Amino acid sequence: MLSEKTPSLTVVPMPEEQAPPPILSVEVEDHRYHPLTQTLAPCALELKKGEIVSIIGPSGCGKSTFLRIAAGLIEPSYGTLSNALNKTAILFQEHRLLPWKSLLNNISFGLLGQKISKFQRIKKARAVAYTMGFTEDDLIKFPSELSGGMRQRGALARALALEPDLLFLDEPFSALDIGRRRELYRLVLKEVETRQSSVLMVTHDVTEALALSDRVLIMAPDPGHFVKDYVVPLPRSERTRRNLLELEADLMAEEQIASLFNLNDWERIL
Amino acid sequence: MIHQMLARLAHRLWSGWGTLAGVFLIFALWQIGFEAFGALVLPAPAEALGRLVDLIALPSGMEYILITAKRAFTGFLLASALGISLGLIAGWSNTLSLLCKPFITVALGVPPIAWIVLALLWFGGDDGTPVFTVFISTLPLIFAGSLQGVRMREAELDEMAQSFRVPLFQRFWQVQAPQIISYLFPAWATAFGLSWKVVVMAELLSSTRGIGAGLAEARVNIDTASTMAWITVIVAVLLVIDGVLLNPLKERVEGWKHVE
């Protein structure tokens, strides 16, 4: 029996110092809302600290479902989710502000899950609102009195008030005009740069994905699965509208991806 | 802020004028009716109001009003407590809400007068009969209102609150309750008006005290002036409660809906 004892000297593999563990790792093996229709085929994702990853794909391909699973809002039928960080926030397509609360109370509402006093919540909400460009007058207004862009900015303020380490974006910019959109891009990017938060974003706007992300995952439908993991070659600071167009052309040159978006002959606009 | 409050006050005063104008119009029509049909059909408004003052001046008059109010409120508050809690429970459970449907239909379908007959057999001639009748006839309205409120709430807001890990009680109180109230409130106000009418009816048939009993007395004496005086009391109390209690309450819970 003694001879079978493990030798006193064993080689334990040391964790590699160079690659810190991912902040979020999602592994979905199967997900169904209805037992007979598979919504998601096996798909996996790992997100590093400070990384922005986008998922693009045609409408109804399951990208929002994947985001909800990653955010822990729904459980996958089969699969695992490991989230090393606890402070996550989600920004939805609609602002989802509570219509019966003033803007300030809406922003502080997101902090209700934290164990801090009401006074602290209001103080924090006010500070965030100011950095996001709201005035004292805006803070007492109800959502119905704000413009569409301000509402979405309020929703972003509510999410950022948490100081999230991980931010989920579910097409939150799709209803805004390009000026408002850029304003929100900048606010999100500032947060990512100063706090090194990670972002997982779902969008159907290819340019938006290329402009903001480090990596773009392309999802195909029936059932949802990733077909490509595209690393955006340019650093974010060097991206312009002009070279993004080239990147997009580069991406769409692939037959499979262009047909996914129903965009064969991508160059032609009509 | 001050500007808004002033505007709200002015709005309320202005709507008060509207109510007052309506009341005077009714009195004017009443006067025309009196002049056209004679005092046996419709007494002169002035005479009825005089009788009203006499009735209230009597110790029993004020007592009658208070007794009726107590009965209406008791029945209404019991129905509110039970109806709202049952409505919430049924709203959260699909099975229960399906099971509850036939009960609502039955409870809404049975006329209050039938309940009075039953209640008389069960509770006799005391407070029990009017209180029970009010309770049972307002319960389905309040129940249906709160059930509807829970069922119609926006799932998206719930999901949002869940995403921020807002504790369950806060999720109910700050996200669901305002939505439920906006459905419940109209039903609740209707139920309140109904409770006041039903209590008088129940008293008329079952009680020896209360406004209903006063009406029964007036009927026996073929005293149209007293009848109209009591009717005026009933309507006046309803108007006052509407203006003093329900409207400000409505403003308080639904104020966010009316901002331009």
Side-chain angles (χ1 to χ4, degrees), chain B residues 90-154:
Chain B
W92 283 316
S93 148
N94 270 323
T95 327
L96 268 179
S97 89
L98 278 178
L99 274 177
C100 283
K101 268 205 182 123
F103 283 97
I104 303 183
T105 318
V106 168
L108 279 173
V110 176
I113 197 88
W115 287 119
I116 294 174
V117 175
L118 275 178
L120 261 174
L121 295 173
W122 293 343
F123 300 100
D126 207 9
D127 280 0
T129 299
V131 169
F132 173 77
T133 315
V134 167
F135 169 77
I136 203 76
S137 39
T138 53
L139 182 67
L141 270 178
I142 297 173
F143 173 79
S146 82
L147 172 71
Q148 200 68 336
V150 181
R151 310 286 296 169
M152 301 302 280
R153 71 184 196 273
E154 283 179 49

Side-chain angles (χ1 to χ4, degrees), chain A residues 52-126:
Chain A
I52 303 181
V53 173
S54 293
I55 302 175
I56 57 172
S59 299
C61 71
K63 51 192 195 297
S64 277
T65 303
F66 186 82
L67 183 100
R68 275 172 175 69
I69 290 173
L73 283 180
I74 49 178
E75 290 213 350
S77 309
Y78 292 98
T80 51
L81 165 74
S82 82
N83 181 352
L85 299 158
N86 299 316
K87 273 197 179 174
T88 59
I90 310 177
L91 196 55
F92 297 95
Q93 185 169 7
E94 321 83 30
H95 55 83
R96 301 199 187 176
L97 297 172
L98 300 172
W100 48 86
K101 282 184 183 293
S102 68
L103 180 63
L104 181 66
N105 286 335
N106 260 301
I107 296 174
S108 73
F109 176 82
L111 296 166
L112 266 182
Q114 312 297 307
K115 290 194 167 44
I116 52 176
S117 70
K118 185 171 184 184
F119 177 75
Q120 287 293 326
R121 276 195 282 124
I122 298 284
K123 204 175 136 192
K124 215 167 174 182
R126 196 180 284 274

